[in-house]
PDB file of all heavy atoms in Angstrom:
ATOM      1  N   ASP U 468       3.478  17.804   8.010  1.00 78.00           N
ATOM      2  CA  ASP U 468       4.682  17.189   8.537  1.00 78.00           C
ATOM      3  C   ASP U 468       5.589  16.770   7.370  1.00 78.00           C
ATOM      4  O   ASP U 468       6.825  16.848   7.485  1.00 78.00           O
ATOM      5  CB  ASP U 468       4.289  15.959   9.365  1.00 78.00           C
ATOM      6  CG  ASP U 468       3.610  16.270  10.602  1.00 78.00           C
ATOM      7  OD1 ASP U 468       3.857  17.306  11.212  1.00 78.00           O
ATOM      8  OD2 ASP U 468       2.681  15.307  11.070  1.00 78.00           O
ATOM      9  N   GLU U 476      15.460  18.713   4.822  1.00 88.00           N
ATOM     10  CA  GLU U 476      16.432  17.816   4.182  1.00 88.00           C
ATOM     11  C   GLU U 476      17.329  18.671   3.231  1.00 88.00           C
ATOM     12  O   GLU U 476      16.917  19.729   2.721  1.00 88.00           O
ATOM     13  CB  GLU U 476      15.769  16.689   3.400  1.00 88.00           C
ATOM     14  CG  GLU U 476      15.047  15.698   4.112  1.00 88.00           C
ATOM     15  CD  GLU U 476      14.508  14.613   3.244  1.00 88.00           C
ATOM     16  OE1 GLU U 476      14.385  14.791   2.003  1.00 88.00           O
ATOM     17  OE2 GLU U 476      14.053  13.498   3.761  1.00 88.00           O
ATOM     18  N   VAL U 488      10.691   5.173 -10.287  1.00 97.00           N
ATOM     19  CA  VAL U 488      10.747   3.977  -9.302  1.00 97.00           C
ATOM     20  C   VAL U 488      10.422   4.582  -7.996  1.00 97.00           C
ATOM     21  O   VAL U 488      10.997   5.604  -7.576  1.00 97.00           O
ATOM     22  CB  VAL U 488      12.140   3.515  -9.279  1.00 97.00           C
ATOM     23  CG1 VAL U 488      12.236   2.264  -8.353  1.00 97.00           C
ATOM     24  CG2 VAL U 488      12.596   3.011 -10.723  1.00 97.00           C
ATOM     25  N   HIS U 509      18.788   4.514  -3.344  1.00 95.00           N
ATOM     26  CA  HIS U 509      18.142   5.731  -3.761  1.00 95.00           C
ATOM     27  C   HIS U 509      19.035   6.644  -4.694  1.00 95.00           C
ATOM     28  O   HIS U 509      18.673   7.079  -5.557  1.00 95.00           O
ATOM     29  CB  HIS U 509      17.631   6.470  -2.487  1.00 95.00           C
ATOM     30  CG  HIS U 509      16.923   7.691  -2.830  1.00 95.00           C
ATOM     31  ND1 HIS U 509      17.441   8.940  -2.419  1.00 95.00           N
ATOM     32  CD2 HIS U 509      15.699   7.950  -3.424  1.00 95.00           C
ATOM     33  CE1 HIS U 509      16.494   9.859  -2.773  1.00 95.00           C
ATOM     34  NE2 HIS U 509      15.620   9.278  -3.348  1.00 95.00           N
ATOM     35  N   ARG U 522      11.129   8.166  -2.447  1.00 97.00           N
ATOM     36  CA  ARG U 522      11.133   7.280  -1.258  1.00 97.00           C
ATOM     37  C   ARG U 522       9.618   7.111  -0.717  1.00 97.00           C
ATOM     38  O   ARG U 522       8.867   8.031  -0.780  1.00 97.00           O
ATOM     39  CB  ARG U 522      11.965   8.000  -0.149  1.00 97.00           C
ATOM     40  CG  ARG U 522      13.327   8.104  -0.577  1.00 97.00           C
ATOM     41  CD  ARG U 522      14.130   9.022   0.306  1.00 97.00           C
ATOM     42  NE  ARG U 522      13.664  10.385   0.032  1.00 97.00           N
ATOM     43  CZ  ARG U 522      13.732  11.379   0.907  1.00 97.00           C
ATOM     44  NH1 ARG U 522      14.126  11.138   2.097  1.00 97.00           N
ATOM     45  NH2 ARG U 522      13.304  12.613   0.533  1.00 97.00           N
ATOM     46  N   PRO U 541       0.782   8.250  -5.206  1.00 96.00           N
ATOM     47  CA  PRO U 541       0.463   6.948  -4.553  1.00 96.00           C
ATOM     48  C   PRO U 541       1.403   5.842  -5.070  1.00 96.00           C
ATOM     49  O   PRO U 541       1.727   5.921  -6.184  1.00 96.00           O
ATOM     50  CB  PRO U 541      -1.007   6.766  -4.915  1.00 96.00           C
ATOM     51  CG  PRO U 541      -1.591   8.078  -5.235  1.00 96.00           C
ATOM     52  CD  PRO U 541      -0.409   8.967  -5.769  1.00 96.00           C
ATOM     53  N   PRO U 546       5.295   2.379 -12.043  1.00 96.00           N
ATOM     54  CA  PRO U 546       5.460   1.103 -12.813  1.00 96.00           C
ATOM     55  C   PRO U 546       6.488   0.177 -12.056  1.00 96.00           C
ATOM     56  O   PRO U 546       6.276  -1.112 -12.256  1.00 96.00           O
ATOM     57  CB  PRO U 546       6.007   1.587 -14.114  1.00 96.00           C
ATOM     58  CG  PRO U 546       6.843   2.942 -13.733  1.00 96.00           C
ATOM     59  CD  PRO U 546       5.803   3.476 -12.706  1.00 96.00           C
ATOM     60  N   LEU U 548       8.137  -0.767  -8.210  1.00 98.00           N
ATOM     61  CA  LEU U 548       8.219  -0.411  -6.727  1.00 98.00           C
ATOM     62  C   LEU U 548       9.361  -1.292  -6.134  1.00 98.00           C
ATOM     63  O   LEU U 548       9.327  -2.597  -6.215  1.00 98.00           O
ATOM     64  CB  LEU U 548       6.850  -0.969  -6.077  1.00 98.00           C
ATOM     65  CG  LEU U 548       6.645  -0.722  -4.664  1.00 98.00           C
ATOM     66  CD1 LEU U 548       6.698   0.885  -4.464  1.00 98.00           C
ATOM     67  CD2 LEU U 548       5.366  -1.261  -4.164  1.00 98.00           C
ATOM     68  N   PRO U 559       5.899  -8.698   7.404  1.00 96.00           N
ATOM     69  CA  PRO U 559       4.645  -8.289   7.642  1.00 96.00           C
ATOM     70  C   PRO U 559       4.265  -6.857   7.416  1.00 96.00           C
ATOM     71  O   PRO U 559       3.202  -6.459   6.975  1.00 96.00           O
ATOM     72  CB  PRO U 559       4.265  -8.701   9.098  1.00 96.00           C
ATOM     73  CG  PRO U 559       5.340  -9.755   9.492  1.00 96.00           C
ATOM     74  CD  PRO U 559       6.472  -9.312   8.680  1.00 96.00           C
ATOM     75  N   ASP U 566      -0.805  -3.732   0.752  1.00 97.00           N
ATOM     76  CA  ASP U 566      -2.321  -3.879   0.937  1.00 97.00           C
ATOM     77  C   ASP U 566      -2.898  -2.528   1.078  1.00 97.00           C
ATOM     78  O   ASP U 566      -3.828  -2.037   0.350  1.00 97.00           O
ATOM     79  CB  ASP U 566      -2.671  -4.829   2.107  1.00 97.00           C
ATOM     80  CG  ASP U 566      -4.092  -5.047   2.136  1.00 97.00           C
ATOM     81  OD1 ASP U 566      -4.643  -5.536   1.156  1.00 97.00           O
ATOM     82  OD2 ASP U 566      -4.715  -4.709   3.181  1.00 97.00           O
ATOM     83  N   ALA U 567      -2.305  -1.654   1.816  1.00 96.00           N
ATOM     84  CA  ALA U 567      -2.771  -0.229   2.140  1.00 96.00           C
ATOM     85  C   ALA U 567      -2.648   0.570   0.797  1.00 96.00           C
ATOM     86  O   ALA U 567      -3.412   1.566   0.559  1.00 96.00           O
ATOM     87  CB  ALA U 567      -1.958   0.390   3.128  1.00 96.00           C
ATOM     88  N   GLU U 576      -1.127 -12.809  -8.030  1.00 97.00           N
ATOM     89  CA  GLU U 576      -2.505 -12.021  -8.109  1.00 97.00           C
ATOM     90  C   GLU U 576      -2.279 -10.673  -8.693  1.00 97.00           C
ATOM     91  O   GLU U 576      -3.334  -9.992  -8.884  1.00 97.00           O
ATOM     92  CB  GLU U 576      -2.946 -11.802  -6.623  1.00 97.00           C
ATOM     93  CG  GLU U 576      -3.371 -13.119  -5.858  1.00 97.00           C
ATOM     94  CD  GLU U 576      -3.734 -12.861  -4.458  1.00 97.00           C
ATOM     95  OE1 GLU U 576      -3.710 -11.768  -4.027  1.00 97.00           O
ATOM     96  OE2 GLU U 576      -4.225 -13.836  -3.849  1.00 97.00           O
ATOM     97  N   GLU U 609      24.928  -7.339  -2.744  1.00 83.00           N
ATOM     98  CA  GLU U 609      25.036  -5.880  -2.688  1.00 83.00           C
ATOM     99  C   GLU U 609      24.525  -5.271  -4.082  1.00 83.00           C
ATOM    100  O   GLU U 609      24.957  -5.738  -5.135  1.00 83.00           O
ATOM    101  CB  GLU U 609      26.385  -5.410  -2.482  1.00 83.00           C
ATOM    102  CG  GLU U 609      27.150  -5.901  -1.082  1.00 83.00           C
ATOM    103  CD  GLU U 609      26.432  -5.408   0.053  1.00 83.00           C
ATOM    104  OE1 GLU U 609      25.672  -4.421  -0.035  1.00 83.00           O
ATOM    105  OE2 GLU U 609      26.612  -6.026   1.147  1.00 83.00           O
ATOM    106  N   GLU U 611      25.090  -2.520  -5.439  1.00 81.00           N
ATOM    107  CA  GLU U 611      26.056  -1.828  -6.243  1.00 81.00           C
ATOM    108  C   GLU U 611      26.641  -2.627  -7.344  1.00 81.00           C
ATOM    109  O   GLU U 611      26.990  -2.035  -8.378  1.00 81.00           O
ATOM    110  CB  GLU U 611      27.244  -1.386  -5.408  1.00 81.00           C
ATOM    111  CG  GLU U 611      26.996  -0.180  -4.348  1.00 81.00           C
ATOM    112  CD  GLU U 611      26.581  -0.740  -2.902  1.00 81.00           C
ATOM    113  OE1 GLU U 611      26.087  -1.915  -2.907  1.00 81.00           O
ATOM    114  OE2 GLU U 611      26.762  -0.097  -2.045  1.00 81.00           O
ATOM    115  N   ALA U 616      23.356  -2.652 -14.126  1.00 94.00           N
ATOM    116  CA  ALA U 616      22.986  -3.408 -15.266  1.00 94.00           C
ATOM    117  C   ALA U 616      21.401  -3.516 -15.384  1.00 94.00           C
ATOM    118  O   ALA U 616      20.817  -3.437 -16.457  1.00 94.00           O
ATOM    119  CB  ALA U 616      23.527  -4.812 -15.159  1.00 94.00           C
ATOM    120  N   ALA U 622      15.688   0.835 -18.745  1.00 95.00           N
ATOM    121  CA  ALA U 622      15.690   1.958 -19.769  1.00 95.00           C
ATOM    122  C   ALA U 622      15.327   1.607 -21.079  1.00 95.00           C
ATOM    123  O   ALA U 622      15.093   2.404 -21.936  1.00 95.00           O
ATOM    124  CB  ALA U 622      16.985   2.747 -19.568  1.00 95.00           C
ATOM    125  N   ARG U 627       7.010  -6.506 -20.488  1.00 94.00           N
ATOM    126  CA  ARG U 627       7.173  -7.042 -19.108  1.00 94.00           C
ATOM    127  C   ARG U 627       7.857  -8.440 -19.066  1.00 94.00           C
ATOM    128  O   ARG U 627       8.869  -8.639 -18.370  1.00 94.00           O
ATOM    129  CB  ARG U 627       5.858  -7.150 -18.439  1.00 94.00           C
ATOM    130  CG  ARG U 627       5.842  -7.258 -16.819  1.00 94.00           C
ATOM    131  CD  ARG U 627       4.432  -7.211 -16.317  1.00 94.00           C
ATOM    132  NE  ARG U 627       4.381  -7.375 -14.876  1.00 94.00           N
ATOM    133  CZ  ARG U 627       4.042  -6.327 -14.094  1.00 94.00           C
ATOM    134  NH1 ARG U 627       3.853  -5.206 -14.609  1.00 94.00           N
ATOM    135  NH2 ARG U 627       3.941  -6.391 -12.813  1.00 94.00           N
ATOM    136  N   SER U 665      25.429   8.509   3.043  1.00 83.00           N
ATOM    137  CA  SER U 665      24.260   9.150   2.696  1.00 83.00           C
ATOM    138  C   SER U 665      24.711  10.520   2.073  1.00 83.00           C
ATOM    139  O   SER U 665      25.550  11.171   2.452  1.00 83.00           O
ATOM    140  CB  SER U 665      23.330   9.327   3.877  1.00 83.00           C
ATOM    141  OG  SER U 665      22.395  10.385   3.616  1.00 83.00           O
ATOM    142  N   THR U 666      23.918  10.983   1.096  1.00 85.00           N
ATOM    143  CA  THR U 666      24.151  12.180   0.361  1.00 85.00           C
ATOM    144  C   THR U 666      23.311  13.225   1.252  1.00 85.00           C
ATOM    145  O   THR U 666      23.494  14.492   0.951  1.00 85.00           O
ATOM    146  CB  THR U 666      23.665  12.251  -1.070  1.00 85.00           C
ATOM    147  OG1 THR U 666      22.187  12.001  -1.040  1.00 85.00           O
ATOM    148  CG2 THR U 666      24.382  11.262  -1.932  1.00 85.00           C
TER     149      THR U 666
END
Side-chain angles (χ1 to χ4, degrees):
D468 292 329
E476 291 182 347
V488 179
H509 181 247
R522 294 163 292 154
L548 185 67
D566 188 58
E576 295 178 353
E609 302 293 342
E611 290 92 333
R627 196 178 184 107
S665 170
T666 62

